[in-house]
Amino acid sequence: MGSHEVAGEHQVAHHFKSALDEFEACKQAMWIFLVTEVLFFSGLFVAYTVLRVFEPEMVKAAHHFLDWRLGALNTVFLITSSLTMAFAVSASQRGDNKRVVRQLIYTLILACGFCVVKIYEYSHKFHDKLLPGAHFGNTELTANKAGLFFSVYFVMTGIHALHVVIGMGVILWVILRARKNEFSPNYFTPVEITGLYWHFVDLVWIYLFPLLYLVG
Amino acid sequence: MTLFFALVASAFAATVPVQGTDIAGAWDVLYWFLIYVSAFFVFGILAAMIYFAVRYRRQEGKRPKFIEGNTAVEIVWTVIPTILVMIMFVWGWVVYKKMIHAPLNALEIRVIGKQWLWQFVYPDGKQSINDLYVPLNRPVKLIMSSEDVLHGFFIPNFRVKHDVVPGMYTDVWFEAKIPGIHQIFCTEYCGASHSGMLARLLVLKDDQWKEFLGGKKIDIAALSSDPTFPGFRANMLGEGMPAVSQGDASAPVSLVSQGKTVAQSKGCIACHSADGSKMTGPTWKGLAGSTRKFADGSEGKADDAYLRESIENSAAKIVAGYPAGQMPVYKGLFTEVELAQVIEYIKSLK
Amino acid sequence: MGHGVALAHGDNYINHSKGLKSWLNTLDHKRIGIMYLIAILSFFLVGGIFAMLIRLNLFSPGSTLVSPSKYNQLFTYHGAIMVFMVIIPMIPAAIGNMVLPMMLGAKDVAFPRWNLASFYVYLSGAAIACASLFLNGVDTGWTFYTPYSIRTSTSAVWVLLGAFVMGFSSILTGLNFVVSIHKLRAPGMGWGKMPLFLWALYGTSVIQILATPVLAITLLLAALERIVGIGIFDPALGGDPVLFQHFFWFYSHPAVYIMILPAMGVISEVVPVFSRKPIFGYTAIAMATFGIALVSFVVWGHHMFVSGQSEFANFLFSLITMFVAIPTGVKVFSWLGTMYKGSLHFHAPMLYAIGFIFVFTIGGMTGMFLATLATDVHLTDTYFVVAHFHYVMVGGSLLGFLAGLHYWFPKFSGKMYAETPAMIAAILINVGFNVTFFPQFILGVLGMPRRYADYLPQFTTLNRVSTVGSWIIAAGFLLVLFYLIHALLRGKKASDNPWKALTLEWQSPSPPPHENFLVEPVVTDGPYDYRGAKAGPI
């Protein structure tokens, strides 16, 4: 945030008293942002709960049309990527920029794996006309209002996937900065808060997976 | 001050619609209580500010007093409002309970809102548009639904109002005490002609009600000018109101028998018996009002909402002992009126 | 800029750098606040013109000025513009941005770049929403109730997405303020020595952070209803239209407190300064702010007493709503307590503050009619509700904003406005406001429903009074605009502390330098410590 940034050397913004103050402010802001994210998703979880409570049979019937093995594979991808992210953060705290780059690249690859599986799943759903609300046209799934299940499915996983893609962009930006040796034990804020965000994205999926793929 | 209060009060007395029901009377008492409490605080605070403005205005040589607070005073002005709002809450709840629970012997009339008219369906199968005929001194329950978007059903003289929601039954009830015409408004914004979605409530005395049931056309012009209608305040009559259709006040067949015909034409009776015998689906005899046991172990009362849901989407609640997936989805295949007819038919099979 | 370099008394944030670009790219919270103020006042003008047209159309029954469909668009735009583009950001984003860091004794907000970003996010959202004006318009009402908002042939998606985008601006501002308050307080400013305006902004920010995301997802889902037909709120596809109302009000009720808490904060600053006396019950007011903020999250159902919500839910929501009255009452009584035995100075900010206390009390008391279950059944969705929320939003938030604008105007412009026209305007606006909206209470009790393009003839007189009142308000606002612009161009130079106030922003020159203070401030006394010489007349 400083007005004169030199590669490899971070300047504390003029209105903060110390680097520690700045770091704490950024970290607090990230936590608050994650609170807003929780509330953003909570709306979707409420919609899901309403559907599940009022249409338990339909949700049960519809969830069989999601492949739990693909969901589980994606869970593995994301949990592993959280682990590599944690390694990257701890490396940045030691100022080991090379290791930061390496671990973040692993994270990116795992995230790509997640996206590929998601695209594969989506294209299947489109092919089988397992689509939201008005566009639902699958003939095998006869349960009434099944379109609503796929509305919830697409909106929840779609918004989550959007978070994954945004996260990948941020990780890429952190990689570029790490390659310029910008992080040191005195300044690793971007890695730390990107890590917080990424763990949150992972956590959302850990709720989505059983709720959507493993009903009842 | 007292005179001022009296003036405000009398000005306000003319600002409340006539009391068309006993509940409107109970409502008015609560309303005036709230007005007096509010007036006390509003004028009290105004008076205090005016007094302070004069008494403590900036004056040469007078110093303000350094006061940061006073615990006793703060407790008082926390506790007193707490007591007052609790009185308001309890009183409001007591009157509200009376407003929403219709007596069991209430005459049931079905109301269907659509852009932009009100349709009324009577137990004997009559229908009318934008004119609701009800008997005097008899509880009437309106069971309401919408064909399209949200509407709101509001009779100011009776202090009753409820949203009319598509895909759902809501109700209001009243026991009219003043014969004549009362205004009905739509209160939930519903599009271009929302402000034109008006209807008239025609409260008929015994002999007129009998004439109405007998299929005779009611002379509305005579009704509104009849001098025997006490308490009818002209300002609630829609003079210059957009024209309303007279409505079809004569129908030969009761709602129940219309429902029987619909049940036959839609094929319901292929699987549901009317005499208690067991067929593919549960019998309709004794169904309405009973407690149903469902396949997932839960229980529920067979009210209008349940009957509607089971017709439109039977899979939502499967009765224990019957296989799922037997009955097709009927949603969209019944009009609101047909739903009302079949439900009334089912309810008649005691 | 170096740290703590004493600048000449004359270099200020306005002449610090020159050119339009230096404003559009600025990271200075004061300049961002000014840009917000200009944008908000422009939208206020647009929303105000729509309001005047609405009142003009209702001068007589019948379709007089515009067709019913056009009328429906007018009240929708009036509501959406005034709520999302004016009242929500009015005090926090415009005045708050200018004042908050200075009151804290800080050089800027915690994240100046995000602060600028939030302004542009706000502008983009507003642009998206206004784009609908050039398409088919929108006629859903600012509440976007389903299924009408799904069915209407107008361009509802644009306004939904515009409000969605503006929500992010609101979140960013809230986030920035919370972190600033936590991390950037001047040395010596403990929580108990924080001015009440900051407490109010803190409470507001917490609501913005917690409630706005829920609005975001709600509006997104409603937009998806229209774009792809997901059906969650659409009864035709098996969805639940009442669920939308729950989602919408979960945000929009707390949003009412986003609008009113900062205004209360302004009043809590103005009343002690112009009474030359400490605020009465500092702790009680700060706690009441948080009491209101917390309760605001569990009362949304009181908008839905006749919507088809269960009896038990109505019971609970009515009960909980009653508790909003208590902290609100504490605040009003505490302001009175502050005036008691003071030395009252009736400058323009104080006139607006007194107007606020009176009008807001009416707004609050009529809220009790709507919280009480039985009375609400008759009054909801009538003009009673319209009058009630205008007493709270216009009478409350807008008068609070005007009090704040007049209070801090000399600080940030360096100029002083003329007192006489300011007093006349304050009286015009207060009188005009009551003439416009008080008759609407009576209309509501008589049964006139809201959102009516046309009405029955017996409502004519009261509607006419209301329309005439709207002209008085408009005259008042035009007068304010006139003398404030005159003050900017030809006003007398304002001193550094014209009101002899004790909060930190007045320790800086008027207008303040680029980095806010010539000497880094240190707090020793409380913000309302009017003792001895400090309590002397203005």
Side-chain angles (χ1 to χ4, degrees):
Chain A
M1 300 255 168
S3 39
H4 311 284
E5 267 178 26
V6 185
E9 193 185 318
H10 173 75
Q11 287 209 336
V12 177
H14 72 116
H15 53 287
F16 284 111
K17 288 177 192 72
S18 67
L20 184 66
D21 266 10
E22 188 183 53
F23 170 71
E24 282 182 349
C26 291
K27 202 164 163 181
Q28 188 183 41
M30 193 63 205
W31 276 109
I32 296 173
F33 174 72
L34 293 183
V35 169
T36 71
E37 287 277 25
V38 168
L39 281 146
F40 184 76
F41 276 99
S42 71
L44 294 170
F45 283 108
V46 169
Y48 170 87
T49 310
V50 169
L51 200 62
R52 176 117 179 223
V53 168
F54 289 103
E55 307 286 338
E57 299 298 323
M58 181 278 281
V59 172
K60 213 179 260 179
H63 98 280
H64 289 299
F65 288 75
L66 302 179
D67 192 338
W68 69 269
R69 285 160 303 189
L70 292 176
L73 180 63
N74 262 349
T75 312
V76 172
F77 278 155
L78 281 190
I79 289 180
T80 320
S81 77
S82 254
L83 191 67
T84 55
M85 178 54 93
F87 288 146
V89 172
S90 80
S92 75
Q93 287 165 347
R94 295 191 309 270
D96 184 350
N97 280 297
K98 281 215 176 80
R99 192 169 148 83
V100 172
V101 172
R102 202 166 55 235
Q103 291 299 337
L104 286 182
I105 287 177
Y106 294 154
T107 312
L108 264 189
I109 292 171
L110 289 162
C112 284
F114 177 89
C115 291
V116 168
V117 171
K118 207 74 232 158
I119 291 168
Y120 173 78
E121 279 190 279
Y122 279 173
S123 58
H124 250 255
K125 300 281 171 307
F126 272 84
H127 181 261
D128 293 344
K129 289 208 166 14
L130 292 162
L131 293 173
H135 302 281
F136 184 81
N138 186 288
T139 45
E140 277 174 66
L141 178 56
T142 52
N144 186 40
K145 299 189 189 178
L148 289 189
F149 178 81
F150 287 94
S151 295
V152 169
Y153 167 80
F154 271 102
V155 175
M156 287 180 111
T157 58
I159 290 177
H160 175 262
L162 186 68
H163 278 78
V164 172
V165 172
I166 291 171
M168 288 165 71
V170 176
I171 290 171
L172 199 63
W173 170 71
V174 176
I175 290 176
L176 294 178
R177 292 187 67 175
R179 279 172 60 106
K180 288 191 240 160
N181 280 327
E182 281 190 23
F183 305 121
S184 67
N186 291 326
Y187 176 67
F188 51 87
T189 315
V191 193
E192 172 96 18
I193 63 173
T194 307
L196 283 176
Y197 173 81
W198 193 254
H199 296 320
F200 169 78
V201 171
D202 182 22
L203 190 70
V204 172
W205 180 257
I206 288 179
Y207 279 96
L208 287 182
F209 172 57
L211 287 179
L212 292 169
Y213 291 77
L214 307 173
V215 177
Chain B
M1 208 68 210
T2 328
L3 181 72
F4 189 66
F5 266 119
L7 274 174
V8 171
S10 61
F12 259 79
T15 62
V16 180
V18 293
Q19 293 174 7
T21 59
D22 288 344
I23 282 177
W27 187 95
D28 285 8
V29 177
L30 171 59
Y31 171 78
W32 288 112
F33 168 72
L34 287 168
I35 286 283
Y36 282 117
V37 172
S38 304
F40 174 78
F41 281 103
V42 170
F43 289 112
I45 286 167
L46 184 66
M49 284 198 297
I50 292 171
Y51 177 74
F52 291 170
V54 177
R55 177 84 170 70
Y56 304 120
R57 70 186 185 280
R58 181 198 159 181
Q59 281 165 305
E60 283 311 318
K62 267 193 133 183
R63 308 290 293 185
K65 199 157 183 244
F66 188 89
I67 311 169
E68 286 187 300
N70 180 325
T71 313
V73 172
E74 287 174 50
I75 288 173
V76 168
W77 71 39
T78 309
V79 171
I80 290 179
T82 308
I83 295 169
L84 278 173
V85 295
M86 281 306 104
I87 294 173
M88 291 176 191
F89 166 72
V90 173
W91 193 341
W93 170 248
V94 169
V95 176
Y96 175 73
K97 287 281 276 186
K98 280 193 226 160
M99 293 169 98
I100 59 167
H101 290 294
L104 290 173
N105 62 348
L107 171 74
E108 291 189 355
I109 299 174
R110 296 196 171 253
V111 178
I112 296 148
K114 48 182 126 180
Q115 289 170 322
W116 287 276
L117 57 84
W118 294 103
Q119 186 178 6
F120 305 103
V121 183
Y122 302 85
D124 62 2
K126 283 196 192 63
Q127 292 186 19
S128 63
I129 302 282
N130 287 350
D131 277 331
L132 170 58
Y133 299 86
V134 299
L136 183 67
N137 290 329
R138 196 175 148 192
V140 174
K141 181 180 178 184
L142 304 178
I143 302 171
M144 312 186 293
S145 191
S146 165
E147 292 250 333
D148 35 51
V149 298
L150 297 177
H151 299 284
F153 187 89
F154 178 33
I155 313 171
N157 288 0
F158 296 175
R159 320 284 188 273
V160 293
K161 179 188 288 140
H162 207 289
D163 280 6
V164 180
V165 186
M168 181 172 160
Y169 285 124
T170 56
D171 57 78
V172 295
W173 85 275
F174 54 81
E175 187 174 334
K177 293 288 172 198
I178 300 176
I181 307 178
H182 303 268
Q183 184 66 50
I184 296 170
F185 290 109
C186 174
T187 46
E188 194 63 82
Y189 174 67
C190 58
S193 296
H194 169 51
S195 55
M197 195 168 157
L198 307 172
R200 290 187 291 192
L201 176 71
L202 306 156
V203 178
L204 306 181
K205 289 190 278 193
D206 270 353
D207 46 337
Q208 292 165 324
W209 178 247
K210 284 202 186 89
E211 285 175 17
F212 171 74
L213 291 181
K216 225 181 126 193
K217 265 215 159 52
I218 303 296
D219 182 1
I220 293 170
L223 202 64
S224 59
S225 61
D226 188 332
T228 63
F229 295 147
F232 176 75
R233 188 179 291 164
N235 75 355
M236 287 317 296
L237 165 65
E239 280 173 298
M241 204 168 55
V244 290
S245 73
Q246 187 70 26
D248 172 17
S250 59
V253 198
S254 76
L255 202 55
V256 169
S257 54
Q258 287 172 1
K260 191 173 178 184
T261 315
V262 174
Q264 283 162 350
S265 66
K266 301 269 180 196
C268 310
I269 54 167
C271 304
H272 297 281
S273 74
D275 57 3
S277 57
K278 190 171 166 152
M279 296 168 76
T280 314
T283 180
W284 284 353
K285 189 178 166 67
L287 164 58
S290 67
T291 303
R292 310 294 281 173
K293 284 196 169 52
F294 301 120
D296 62 359
S298 65
E299 280 186 5
K301 192 168 173 282
D303 53 11
D304 279 25
Y306 166 79
L307 293 177
R308 181 193 179 107
E309 180 185 55
S310 297
I311 294 169
E312 294 195 312
N313 169 27
S314 67
K317 294 191 181 75
I318 299 292
V319 176
Y322 291 89
Q326 295 295 307
M327 181 169 158
V329 174
Y330 275 94
K331 189 169 174 62
L333 301 178
F334 280 72
T335 65
E336 284 294 333
V337 174
E338 284 170 338
L339 275 172
Q341 289 164 337
V342 173
I343 289 172
E344 285 305 329
Y345 174 52
I346 296 173
K347 283 161 85 173
S348 75
L349 299 169
K350 297 225 164 71
Chain C
M1 280 296 103
H3 285 246
V5 178
L7 296 160
H9 204 121
D11 178 46
N12 60 49
Y13 78 101
I14 302 170
N15 63 20
H16 175 70
S17 53
K18 294 226 155 48
L20 186 64
K21 233 177 126 184
S22 77
W23 279 82
L24 296 181
N25 291 331
T26 186
L27 298 182
D28 185 334
H29 67 97
K30 302 180 284 303
R31 287 187 164 200
I32 294 171
I34 299 270
M35 292 199 292
Y36 258 119
L37 189 65
I38 294 168
I40 288 167
L41 289 178
S42 315
F43 289 123
F44 178 66
L45 185 68
V46 178
I49 290 171
F50 286 148
M52 299 304 289
L53 291 174
I54 289 171
R55 281 313 328 160
L56 214 52
N57 190 59
L58 295 177
F59 190 73
S60 297
S63 201
T64 45
L65 186 71
V66 293
S67 67
S69 330
K70 276 277 169 286
Y71 178 86
N72 294 342
Q73 297 200 5
L74 277 179
F75 76 67
T76 302
Y77 278 111
H78 167 69
I81 289 176
M82 289 304 203
V83 169
F84 293 116
M85 301 182 203
V86 180
I87 302 180
I88 287 178
M90 186 166 62
I91 298 182
I95 294 184
N97 244 323
M98 288 187 247
V99 173
L100 174 129
M102 298 201 65
M103 261 191 169
L104 285 171
K107 288 179 184 149
D108 209 320
V109 291
F111 307 105
R113 276 168 211 270
W114 288 110
N115 200 20
L116 182 66
S118 97
F119 174 66
Y120 286 114
V121 170
Y122 163 76
L123 275 193
S124 335
I128 295 170
C130 290
S132 64
L133 270 169
F134 304 101
L135 300 160
N136 289 328
V138 62
D139 71 338
T140 58
W142 78 279
T143 48
F144 307 113
Y145 270 17
T146 54
Y148 185 75
S149 57
I150 306 173
R151 306 256 186 285
T152 175
S153 58
T154 54
S155 315
V157 164
W158 292 83
V159 183
L160 286 168
L161 292 179
F164 172 77
V165 171
M166 280 185 275
F168 287 102
S169 153
S170 194
I171 293 174
L172 281 176
T173 304
L175 196 156
N176 223 331
F177 284 6
V178 168
V179 178
S180 303
I181 289 171
H182 272 277
K183 301 292 177 192
L184 298 179
R185 295 196 307 278
M189 187 187 282
W191 290 97
K193 282 188 179 166
M194 216 162 73
L196 285 165
F197 182 58
L198 294 183
W199 275 109
L201 286 179
Y202 189 62
T204 308
S205 302
V206 168
I207 304 177
Q208 284 177 315
I209 287 166
L210 294 179
T212 317
V214 180
L215 176 76
I217 192 67
T218 308
L219 296 178
L220 191 65
L221 287 173
L224 287 174
E225 286 285 357
R226 279 189 71 87
I227 299 168
V228 289
I230 53 173
I232 292 172
F233 302 134
D234 187 352
L237 294 171
D240 184 355
V242 180
L243 183 64
F244 175 85
Q245 296 176 32
H246 280 291
F247 274 40
F248 183 82
W249 289 113
F250 183 83
Y251 164 78
S252 293
H253 193 75
V256 173
Y257 301 102
I258 294 178
M259 304 180 212
I260 196 66
L261 283 181
M264 291 171 156
V266 172
I267 305 304
S268 299
E269 293 303 321
V270 167
V271 172
V273 170
F274 293 92
S275 303
R276 314 307 300 154
K277 215 174 137 262
I279 187 88
F280 191 99
Y282 172 92
T283 317
I285 294 184
M287 292 199 354
T289 302
F290 274 80
I292 294 172
L294 290 179
V295 175
S296 77
F297 283 97
V298 282
V299 296
W300 79 88
H302 68 221
H303 293 266
M304 301 169 60
F305 287 157
V306 301
S307 70
Q309 172 176 270
S310 76
E311 195 182 328
F312 178 65
N314 283 350
F315 176 91
L316 274 187
F317 282 121
S318 171
L319 178 64
I320 303 169
T321 303
M322 291 295 171
F323 291 109
V324 179
I326 298 157
T328 311
V330 165
K331 287 194 172 200
V332 171
F333 296 133
S334 297
W335 295 323
L336 286 182
T338 309
M339 291 165 70
Y340 173 71
K341 294 201 170 173
S343 167
L344 304 184
H345 291 56
F346 296 101
H347 294 83
M350 186 62 168
L351 288 182
Y352 283 110
I354 289 175
F356 172 98
I357 296 172
F358 173 65
V359 166
F360 180 74
T361 305
I362 298 180
M365 289 311 303
T366 50
M368 303 313 298
F369 289 69
L370 301 170
T372 304
L373 270 168
T375 33
D376 179 76
V377 169
H378 177 74
L379 297 173
T380 190
D381 286 323
T382 68
Y383 260 79
F384 191 92
V385 173
V386 177
H388 160 69
F389 70 70
H390 279 90
Y391 264 83
V392 176
M393 287 187 191
V394 184
S397 308
L398 201 62
L399 289 183
F401 168 78
L402 286 170
L405 188 68
H406 286 80
Y407 178 58
W408 281 295
F409 184 87
K411 170 58 49 193
F412 290 95
S413 68
K415 300 289 177 62
M416 200 48 165
Y417 46 83
E419 277 285 337
T420 317
M423 279 185 185
I424 296 173
I427 292 167
L428 276 181
I429 291 173
N430 270 298
V431 169
F433 174 79
N434 284 292
V435 174
T436 308
F437 292 105
F438 201 83
Q440 296 185 2
F441 283 123
I442 307 172
L443 281 172
V445 179
L446 282 175
M448 178 169 162
R450 64 192 288 204
R451 296 175 168 176
Y452 263 30
D454 184 9
Y455 53 82
L456 301 184
Q458 61 266 28
F459 299 133
T460 310
T461 315
L462 288 166
N463 270 296
R464 289 209 167 146
V465 174
S466 180
T467 302
V468 171
S470 72
W471 301 336
I472 305 176
I473 306 187
F477 278 122
L478 288 178
L479 186 57
V480 173
L481 190 69
F482 175 76
Y483 69 72
L484 286 188
I485 289 177
H486 184 265
L488 284 178
L489 300 176
R490 311 239 156 122
K492 275 189 301 190
K493 199 175 165 0
S495 65
D496 290 353
N497 191 357
W499 316 123
K500 297 209 171 86
L502 302 183
T503 42
L504 291 179
E505 76 274 25
W506 301 101
Q507 295 186 13
S508 167
S510 299
H514 176 62
E515 288 196 332
N516 291 352
F517 297 96
L518 300 175
V519 187
E520 200 168 314
V522 176
V523 176
T524 48
D525 297 330
Y528 310 107
D529 229 354
Y530 291 97
R531 282 177 219 262
K534 286 182 189 168
I538 293 169

